[in-house]
Coordinates of all heavy atoms in Angstrom, one line a residue:
M1 N 141.6 121.9 102.0 CA 141.6 121.6 103.5 C 143.1 121.6 103.6 O 143.5 122.2 104.7 CB 141.0 120.3 103.7 CG 140.7 120.1 105.1 SD 139.9 118.5 105.3 CE 141.2 117.7 106.1
A2 N 143.9 121.0 103.0 CA 145.3 120.9 103.3 C 146.0 122.3 102.9 O 147.0 122.7 103.4 CB 146.0 119.7 102.5
C3 N 145.6 122.9 101.7 CA 146.4 124.1 101.2 C 145.7 125.3 101.6 O 146.4 126.3 101.4 CB 146.6 123.8 99.7 SG 145.0 123.8 98.8
H4 N 144.4 125.3 102.0 CA 143.7 126.4 102.4 C 143.5 127.3 101.2 O 143.4 128.5 101.4 CB 144.3 127.1 103.6 CG 144.3 126.2 104.7 ND1 143.2 125.8 105.5 CD2 145.3 125.5 105.4 CE1 143.5 125.1 106.5 NE2 144.8 124.9 106.4
Q5 N 143.6 126.9 100.0 CA 143.3 127.8 98.9 C 141.7 127.9 98.7 O 141.1 126.9 98.9 CB 143.9 127.2 97.6 CG 145.3 127.3 97.6 CD 145.9 126.7 96.2 OE1 145.4 127.2 95.2 NE2 146.6 125.7 96.3
M6 N 141.2 129.1 98.4 CA 139.9 129.2 98.1 C 139.6 128.8 96.6 O 140.3 129.3 95.7 CB 139.5 130.7 98.3 CG 139.5 131.0 99.8 SD 138.5 130.0 100.8 CE 136.9 130.3 100.2
K7 N 138.8 127.9 96.4 CA 138.5 127.4 95.1 C 137.0 127.3 94.9 O 136.2 127.1 95.8 CB 139.1 126.0 94.8 CG 140.7 126.3 94.9 CD 141.3 125.0 94.3 CE 142.8 125.3 94.3 NZ 143.6 124.2 94.0
D8 N 136.7 127.2 93.8 CA 135.3 127.0 93.4 C 134.9 125.6 93.9 O 135.6 124.6 93.8 CB 135.0 126.9 91.9 CG 133.5 127.0 91.5 OD1 132.9 125.9 91.5 OD2 133.1 128.0 91.2
K9 N 133.7 125.5 94.5 CA 133.2 124.3 95.2 C 133.3 123.1 94.1 O 133.3 121.9 94.4 CB 131.8 124.4 95.7 CG 132.0 125.1 97.0 CD 130.7 125.0 97.9 CE 130.9 125.7 99.2 NZ 129.9 125.8 100.0
R10 N 133.0 123.4 92.8 CA 133.0 122.4 91.8 C 134.4 121.7 91.6 O 134.6 120.7 91.1 CB 132.6 122.9 90.4 CG 131.0 122.9 90.4 CD 130.7 123.8 89.1 NE 131.2 125.1 89.1 CZ 131.0 126.0 88.2 NH1 130.1 125.7 87.1 NH2 131.5 127.1 88.3
E11 N 135.4 122.4 92.0 CA 136.8 121.9 92.0 C 137.1 121.2 93.2 O 138.3 120.9 93.4 CB 137.7 123.0 91.7 CG 137.6 123.7 90.4 CD 138.7 124.8 90.3 OE1 139.8 124.7 90.3 OE2 138.2 126.0 90.1
L12 N 136.2 121.0 94.1 CA 136.5 120.4 95.4 C 135.8 119.1 95.6 O 134.7 119.0 95.1 CB 136.1 121.4 96.6 CG 136.9 122.7 96.6 CD1 136.2 123.7 97.5 CD2 138.3 122.6 96.9
I13 N 136.4 118.3 96.4 CA 135.6 117.0 96.8 C 135.1 117.2 98.1 O 136.0 117.4 99.0 CB 136.5 115.9 96.5 CG1 136.9 115.6 95.1 CG2 136.0 114.6 97.2 CD1 138.1 114.7 94.9
R14 N 133.9 116.9 98.3 CA 133.4 117.0 99.8 C 133.3 115.8 100.4 O 132.8 114.7 99.8 CB 131.9 117.7 99.6 CG 131.2 118.0 100.9 CD 130.1 118.9 100.7 NE 129.6 119.3 102.1 CZ 128.4 119.0 102.6 NH1 127.6 118.1 102.0 NH2 128.1 119.5 103.8
V15 N 133.7 115.8 101.6 CA 133.7 114.7 102.5 C 132.8 115.0 103.7 O 132.9 116.2 104.2 CB 135.0 114.2 103.0 CG1 134.9 112.8 103.9 CG2 135.9 113.8 101.9
V16 N 131.8 114.2 104.0 CA 130.8 114.5 105.1 C 130.9 113.6 106.3 O 131.0 112.3 106.0 CB 129.5 114.5 104.4 CG1 128.3 114.5 105.4 CG2 129.2 115.8 103.6
K17 N 130.7 114.1 107.4 CA 130.4 113.3 108.6 C 128.9 113.5 108.9 O 128.5 114.6 109.1 CB 131.2 113.7 109.8 CG 131.1 112.7 110.9 CD 132.0 113.2 112.1 CE 131.7 112.4 113.3 NZ 132.4 112.8 114.5
S18 N 128.2 112.5 108.8 CA 126.8 112.5 109.0 C 126.5 112.7 110.6 O 127.2 112.3 111.3 CB 126.1 111.3 108.5 OG 126.3 110.2 109.3
P19 N 125.2 113.1 110.9 CA 124.9 113.2 112.2 C 125.0 111.8 113.0 O 125.1 111.8 114.1 CB 123.4 113.8 112.2 CG 123.3 114.4 110.8 CD 124.1 113.6 109.9
E20 N 124.9 110.8 112.2 CA 124.9 109.5 112.9 C 126.4 109.1 113.1 O 126.7 108.1 113.7 CB 124.4 108.5 112.0 CG 122.8 108.7 111.9 CD 122.3 109.8 110.9 OE1 123.1 110.0 109.9 OE2 121.4 110.4 111.1
G21 N 127.4 109.9 112.6 CA 128.7 109.6 112.8 C 129.4 109.0 111.7 O 130.7 108.7 111.7
G22 N 128.7 108.5 110.6 CA 129.4 107.9 109.4 C 130.2 108.9 108.6 O 129.7 110.1 108.5
V23 N 131.2 108.6 107.9 CA 132.0 109.5 107.2 C 131.9 108.9 105.7 O 132.1 107.6 105.5 CB 133.4 109.5 107.7 CG1 134.2 110.4 106.7 CG2 133.5 110.2 109.0
F24 N 131.5 109.8 104.8 CA 131.5 109.3 103.4 C 131.7 110.5 102.5 O 131.7 111.6 102.8 CB 130.1 108.7 103.1 CG 129.0 109.5 103.6 CD1 128.4 110.4 102.7 CD2 128.5 109.3 104.9 CE1 127.3 111.1 103.2 CE2 127.3 109.9 105.3 CZ 126.8 110.9 104.5
I25 N 131.9 110.1 101.2 CA 132.2 111.1 100.2 C 130.9 111.5 99.7 O 129.9 110.7 99.4 CB 133.2 110.5 99.0 CG1 134.4 110.1 99.6 CG2 133.3 111.5 97.9 CD1 135.2 109.1 98.7
D26 N 130.8 112.8 99.4 CA 129.6 113.4 99.0 C 129.6 114.1 97.6 O 130.0 115.3 97.5 CB 129.0 114.4 100.1 CG 127.8 115.1 99.6 OD1 127.1 114.5 98.7 OD2 127.5 116.2 100.1
P27 N 129.5 113.3 96.6 CA 129.6 113.9 95.1 C 128.6 114.9 94.9 O 129.0 115.8 94.1 CB 129.5 112.7 94.3 CG 129.5 111.4 95.1 CD 129.2 111.9 96.5
T28 N 127.6 114.9 95.5 CA 126.5 115.9 95.1 C 126.7 117.1 96.1 O 126.2 118.2 95.6 CB 125.0 115.4 95.5 OG1 125.0 115.2 96.9 CG2 124.8 114.0 94.9
G29 N 127.3 117.1 97.0 CA 127.6 118.3 97.9 C 126.4 118.8 98.6 O 126.3 119.9 99.1
K30 N 125.4 117.9 98.8 CA 124.1 118.2 99.4 C 123.8 117.6 100.6 O 122.6 117.8 101.1 CB 123.0 118.1 98.3 CG 123.1 119.1 97.2 CD 122.0 119.0 96.1 CE 122.2 119.9 95.0 NZ 121.5 119.5 93.8
K31 N 124.6 116.6 101.0 CA 124.2 115.8 102.1 C 124.4 116.5 103.5 O 125.2 117.4 103.5 CB 125.1 114.5 102.2 CG 124.9 113.6 100.9 CD 124.8 112.2 101.2 CE 124.3 111.3 100.1 NZ 125.3 110.8 99.3
N32 N 123.5 116.0 104.3 CA 123.6 116.7 105.6 C 124.8 116.3 106.4 O 125.2 115.1 106.3 CB 122.3 116.3 106.5 CG 121.1 117.3 106.3 OD1 121.4 118.4 105.9 ND2 120.0 116.8 106.5
G33 N 125.3 117.2 107.2 CA 126.4 116.8 108.1 C 127.4 117.8 108.1 O 127.4 118.9 107.4
R34 N 128.6 117.6 108.8 CA 129.6 118.5 108.9 C 130.6 118.1 107.6 O 130.9 116.9 107.5 CB 130.3 118.2 110.1 CG 131.6 118.9 110.3 CD 131.9 119.0 111.9 NE 133.3 119.1 112.1 CZ 134.0 120.2 111.8 NH1 133.5 121.0 111.1 NH2 135.3 120.3 112.2
G35 N 130.8 119.1 106.7 CA 131.7 118.8 105.5 C 133.1 119.4 105.7 O 133.3 120.2 106.4
A36 N 133.9 118.6 104.8 CA 135.2 119.1 104.7 C 135.5 119.0 103.2 O 135.0 118.2 102.6 CB 136.3 118.2 105.4
Y37 N 136.2 120.1 102.7 CA 136.5 120.1 101.2 C 138.0 119.8 101.0 O 138.8 120.4 101.5 CB 136.1 121.5 100.7 CG 134.7 121.8 100.8 CD1 134.0 122.4 101.9 CD2 133.9 121.3 99.7 CE1 132.7 122.5 101.9 CE2 132.4 121.5 99.7 CZ 131.8 122.1 100.8 OH 130.5 122.2 101.0
L38 N 138.2 118.9 100.0 CA 139.4 118.6 99.6 C 139.6 119.1 98.2 O 138.8 119.0 97.3 CB 139.7 117.1 99.6 CG 139.5 116.4 100.8 CD1 139.8 114.9 100.6 CD2 140.3 116.9 101.9
C39 N 140.7 119.8 97.8 CA 140.8 120.2 96.4 C 141.4 119.1 95.6 O 141.8 118.1 96.1 CB 141.7 121.5 96.4 SG 143.4 121.2 96.4
K40 N 141.2 119.2 94.3 CA 141.5 118.0 93.4 C 143.0 117.9 93.1 O 143.3 117.3 92.1 CB 140.7 118.2 92.0 CG 139.2 117.9 92.5 CD 138.3 117.7 91.4 CE 136.9 117.3 91.7 NZ 135.9 117.4 90.6
D41 N 143.7 118.6 93.8 CA 145.2 118.5 93.6 C 145.7 117.3 94.2 O 145.6 117.1 95.5 CB 145.9 119.7 94.1 CG 147.4 119.7 93.9 OD1 148.0 118.6 93.5 OD2 148.1 120.7 94.1
P42 N 146.2 116.1 93.5 CA 146.7 114.9 94.1 C 147.7 115.2 95.1 O 147.8 114.3 96.2 CB 147.2 114.1 92.9 CG 146.5 114.7 91.7 CD 146.3 116.2 91.9
A43 N 148.5 116.1 95.0 CA 149.6 116.4 96.0 C 148.9 116.7 97.4 O 149.4 116.3 98.4 CB 150.5 117.5 95.5
C44 N 147.8 117.5 97.2 CA 147.1 117.9 98.6 C 146.5 116.6 99.3 O 146.5 116.5 100.4 CB 145.9 118.9 98.2 SG 146.3 120.5 98.4
F45 N 145.9 115.7 98.4 CA 145.3 114.6 98.9 C 146.4 113.8 99.5 O 146.2 113.2 100.6 CB 144.6 113.7 97.8 CG 144.1 112.5 98.2 CD1 143.1 112.3 99.3 CD2 144.5 111.3 97.8 CE1 142.7 111.2 99.8 CE2 144.1 110.0 98.2 CZ 143.2 109.9 99.2
A46 N 147.5 113.6 98.9 CA 148.7 112.9 99.5 C 149.0 113.5 100.9 O 149.3 112.6 101.7 CB 149.8 112.8 98.6
R47 N 148.9 114.6 101.0 CA 149.2 115.2 102.4 C 148.1 115.0 103.4 O 148.4 114.7 104.5 CB 149.4 116.8 102.2 CG 150.3 117.3 103.2 CD 150.8 118.8 102.8 NE 150.5 119.2 101.6 CZ 150.2 120.5 101.3 NH1 150.0 121.3 102.2 NH2 149.8 120.9 100.1
V48 N 146.9 115.1 102.9 CA 145.7 114.8 103.8 C 145.8 113.4 104.3 O 145.6 113.1 105.4 CB 144.5 115.2 103.1 CG1 143.2 114.4 103.9 CG2 144.2 116.5 102.8
R49 N 146.1 112.5 103.4 CA 146.1 111.1 103.8 C 147.3 110.8 104.7 O 147.1 110.1 105.7 CB 146.3 110.2 102.4 CG 146.2 108.8 102.6 CD 146.4 108.1 101.3 NE 145.7 106.7 101.5 CZ 145.4 105.9 100.4 NH1 146.0 106.3 99.3 NH2 144.8 104.8 100.6
S50 N 148.5 111.3 104.4 CA 149.6 111.0 105.1 C 149.5 111.5 106.5 O 150.0 111.0 107.5 CB 150.9 111.3 104.5 OG 151.1 112.6 104.3
S51 N 148.9 112.8 106.6 CA 148.9 113.3 108.0 C 147.6 113.0 108.7 O 147.3 113.6 109.7 CB 149.1 114.9 108.0 OG 149.7 115.3 106.8
K52 N 146.7 112.3 108.0 CA 145.3 111.9 108.6 C 144.7 113.1 108.8 O 144.0 113.1 110.1 CB 145.6 111.0 109.7 CG 146.2 109.6 109.4 CD 146.0 108.7 110.4 CE 146.2 107.2 110.0 NZ 145.9 106.1 110.8
L53 N 144.6 114.1 108.1 CA 143.9 115.4 108.4 C 142.5 115.3 108.5 O 141.8 115.9 109.3 CB 144.2 116.4 107.2 CG 145.6 116.9 107.3 CD1 145.8 118.0 106.2 CD2 146.0 117.6 108.6
L54 N 141.9 114.2 107.8 CA 140.5 114.0 107.9 C 140.2 113.4 109.3 O 139.2 113.8 109.9 CB 139.9 113.0 106.9 CG 139.8 113.6 105.5 CD1 139.4 112.5 104.5 CD2 138.8 114.7 105.4
N55 N 140.9 112.5 109.8 CA 140.8 112.1 111.2 C 140.7 113.2 112.2 O 139.9 113.3 113.0 CB 141.9 111.0 111.6 CG 142.0 109.9 110.7 OD1 141.9 108.8 111.1 ND2 142.2 110.1 109.4
R56 N 141.7 114.2 112.0 CA 141.6 115.3 112.8 C 140.4 116.2 112.7 O 139.9 116.7 113.7 CB 142.8 116.1 112.7 CG 144.0 115.8 113.7 CD 145.1 116.8 113.5 NE 146.0 116.3 112.6 CZ 147.0 117.2 112.2 NH1 147.1 118.5 112.6 NH2 147.9 116.9 111.4
E57 N 140.2 116.4 111.5 CA 139.0 117.3 111.2 C 137.7 116.8 111.8 O 136.9 117.6 112.2 CB 138.9 117.5 109.5 CG 137.7 118.3 109.2 CD 138.1 119.8 109.2 OE1 139.4 120.3 109.3 OE2 137.2 120.5 109.0
F58 N 137.5 115.5 111.5 CA 136.3 114.9 112.0 C 136.3 114.2 113.5 O 135.4 113.8 114.0 CB 135.8 113.9 111.0 CG 135.3 114.5 109.7 CD1 135.8 113.9 108.5 CD2 134.3 115.5 109.7 CE1 135.4 114.4 107.3 CE2 134.0 116.0 108.5 CZ 134.5 115.5 107.3
K59 N 137.5 114.3 114.0 CA 137.7 113.8 115.2 C 137.2 112.4 115.4 O 136.6 111.9 116.3 CB 137.0 114.8 116.4 CG 137.6 116.1 116.5 CD 137.1 116.8 117.6 CE 137.8 118.1 117.8 NZ 137.7 119.1 116.6
T60 N 137.4 111.6 114.4 CA 137.1 110.2 114.3 C 138.0 109.4 113.5 O 138.8 110.1 112.7 CB 135.6 110.0 113.8 OG1 135.2 108.7 113.9 CG2 135.5 110.4 112.4
E61 N 138.0 108.1 113.5 CA 138.9 107.3 112.7 C 138.2 107.2 111.3 O 137.1 106.8 111.3 CB 139.1 105.9 113.3 CG 140.1 105.0 112.8 CD 141.5 105.6 112.8 OE1 141.9 106.4 113.6 OE2 142.2 105.3 111.9
I62 N 139.0 107.5 110.3 CA 138.4 107.4 108.9 C 138.7 106.0 108.4 O 139.9 105.6 108.4 CB 139.0 108.5 108.1 CG1 138.9 109.9 108.6 CG2 138.4 108.5 106.6 CD1 137.5 110.4 108.8
P63 N 137.7 105.3 108.0 CA 138.0 104.0 107.5 C 138.9 104.1 106.2 O 138.8 104.9 105.5 CB 136.6 103.5 107.1 CG 135.6 104.4 107.7 CD 136.3 105.6 107.9
A64 N 139.7 102.9 106.0 CA 140.6 102.8 104.9 C 139.9 103.1 103.6 O 140.4 103.5 102.6 CB 141.4 101.6 105.0
E65 N 138.7 102.3 103.5 CA 137.8 102.6 102.3 C 137.6 103.8 101.8 O 137.5 104.2 100.5 CB 136.4 101.8 102.4 CG 136.5 100.4 103.0 CD 136.3 100.4 104.5 OE1 135.1 100.5 105.0 OE2 137.3 100.3 105.2
I66 N 137.4 104.7 102.8 CA 137.2 106.2 102.4 C 138.3 106.8 101.6 O 138.1 107.3 100.7 CB 136.7 107.0 103.6 CG1 135.6 106.5 104.3 CG2 136.7 108.6 103.4 CD1 134.2 106.7 103.4
Y67 N 139.5 106.4 102.3 CA 140.7 107.0 101.5 C 140.9 106.3 100.2 O 141.4 106.9 99.3 CB 142.0 106.7 102.5 CG 142.0 107.8 103.6 CD1 141.9 107.5 104.8 CD2 142.4 109.1 103.2 CE1 142.0 108.4 105.9 CE2 142.6 110.0 104.2 CZ 142.3 109.6 105.6 OH 142.5 110.5 106.6
E68 N 140.5 105.1 100.3 CA 140.6 104.4 98.8 C 139.6 104.9 97.8 O 139.9 105.2 96.6 CB 140.3 102.8 99.0 CG 141.6 102.1 99.4 CD 141.3 100.8 100.2 OE1 140.2 100.2 99.9 OE2 142.1 100.5 101.1
Q69 N 138.3 105.2 98.3 CA 137.4 105.8 97.4 C 137.9 107.2 96.9 O 137.7 107.6 95.8 CB 136.1 106.0 98.1 CG 135.4 104.7 98.3 CD 134.2 104.7 99.2 OE1 133.5 105.8 99.2 NE2 133.8 103.7 99.9
L70 N 138.5 107.9 97.8 CA 138.9 109.3 97.4 C 140.0 109.1 96.4 O 140.2 109.8 95.4 CB 139.5 109.9 98.8 CG 138.5 110.7 99.6 CD1 139.0 111.0 101.0 CD2 138.0 111.9 98.9
E71 N 141.0 108.1 96.7 CA 142.0 108.0 95.7 C 141.4 107.7 94.3 O 142.0 108.3 93.2 CB 142.8 106.8 96.0 CG 144.2 106.7 95.3 CD 145.2 105.9 96.0 OE1 144.7 104.8 96.7 OE2 146.3 106.1 96.0
E72 N 140.3 107.0 94.2 CA 139.7 106.8 92.9 C 139.2 108.2 92.4 O 139.2 108.3 91.1 CB 138.5 105.8 93.0 CG 138.9 104.4 93.1 CD 137.8 103.5 93.5 OE1 136.6 103.8 93.3 OE2 138.1 102.5 94.3
Q73 N 138.7 109.1 93.2 CA 138.3 110.4 92.7 C 139.3 111.1 92.1 O 139.2 112.0 91.3 CB 137.7 111.1 93.9 CG 136.5 110.6 94.7 CD 135.3 110.7 93.9 OE1 135.0 111.8 93.5 NE2 134.4 109.6 93.8
Y74 N 140.6 110.8 92.5 CA 141.6 111.5 92.0 C 142.3 110.9 90.7 O 143.4 111.0 90.2 CB 142.8 111.6 93.0 CG 142.5 112.7 94.0 CD1 141.8 112.3 95.2 CD2 142.8 114.0 93.9 CE1 141.5 113.3 96.1 CE2 142.6 114.9 94.7 CZ 141.7 114.5 95.9 OH 141.5 115.5 96.8
G75 N 141.5 109.9 90.2 CA 141.9 109.3 89.0 C 143.0 108.3 89.1 O 144.0 108.4 88.6
G76 N 142.6 107.3 90.2 CA 143.8 106.3 90.6 C 144.4 105.4 89.4 O 145.1 104.6 89.7
E77 N 143.7 105.6 88.2 CA 144.2 104.6 87.3 C 145.2 105.1 86.4 O 145.2 106.3 86.0 CB 143.0 104.0 86.4 CG 141.8 104.7 86.5 CD 140.5 104.2 85.9 OE1 140.7 103.3 84.9 OE2 139.5 104.6 86.2
Ligands
LIG101 ZN1 144.8 121.9 98.0

């Protein structure tokens, strides 16, 4: 999403906005809703987070927990 590189979906993290309006991480890639893909490059995620690209993409406020959960996906330890 941040770098616009085409990558295999297995190398991407899918974030979904459900029809009800909730935003969550979709590890299975199968949930209904509007999806955005983030690549697994931590530098990309840093850019997405700092520029709040997900907020813009989904036109909604993304809860801080979502960014925290995403950070874990990038191996935050
Ligand atoms: Zn990227």
Side-chain angles (χ1 to χ4, degrees):
M1 203 175 108
C3 62
H4 299 288
Q5 287 181 61
M6 290 309 292
K7 294 199 179 166
D8 191 287
K9 284 194 177 172
R10 277 170 302 184
E11 292 178 63
L12 300 168
I13 295 169
R14 186 170 189 247
V15 183
V16 163
K17 184 183 180 187
S18 73
E20 294 77 32
V23 176
F24 48 89
I25 299 164
D26 176 20
T28 66
K30 288 175 183 165
K31 298 223 167 97
N32 272 335
R34 176 160 154 62
Y37 291 93
L38 306 180
C39 79
K40 288 191 174 172
D41 181 348
C44 263
F45 172 62
R47 208 164 353 142
V48 166
R49 188 179 206 174
S50 64
S51 346
K52 297 197 164 186
L53 289 178
L54 283 174
N55 298 237
R56 263 194 269 164
E57 180 78 12
F58 291 130
K59 298 186 171 63
T60 187
E61 189 62 30
I62 308 297
E65 306 95 82
I66 295 296
Y67 281 111
E68 277 156 28
Q69 285 170 29
L70 278 167
E71 196 161 29
E72 282 167 28
Q73 302 280 314
Y74 285 90
E77 12 182 344

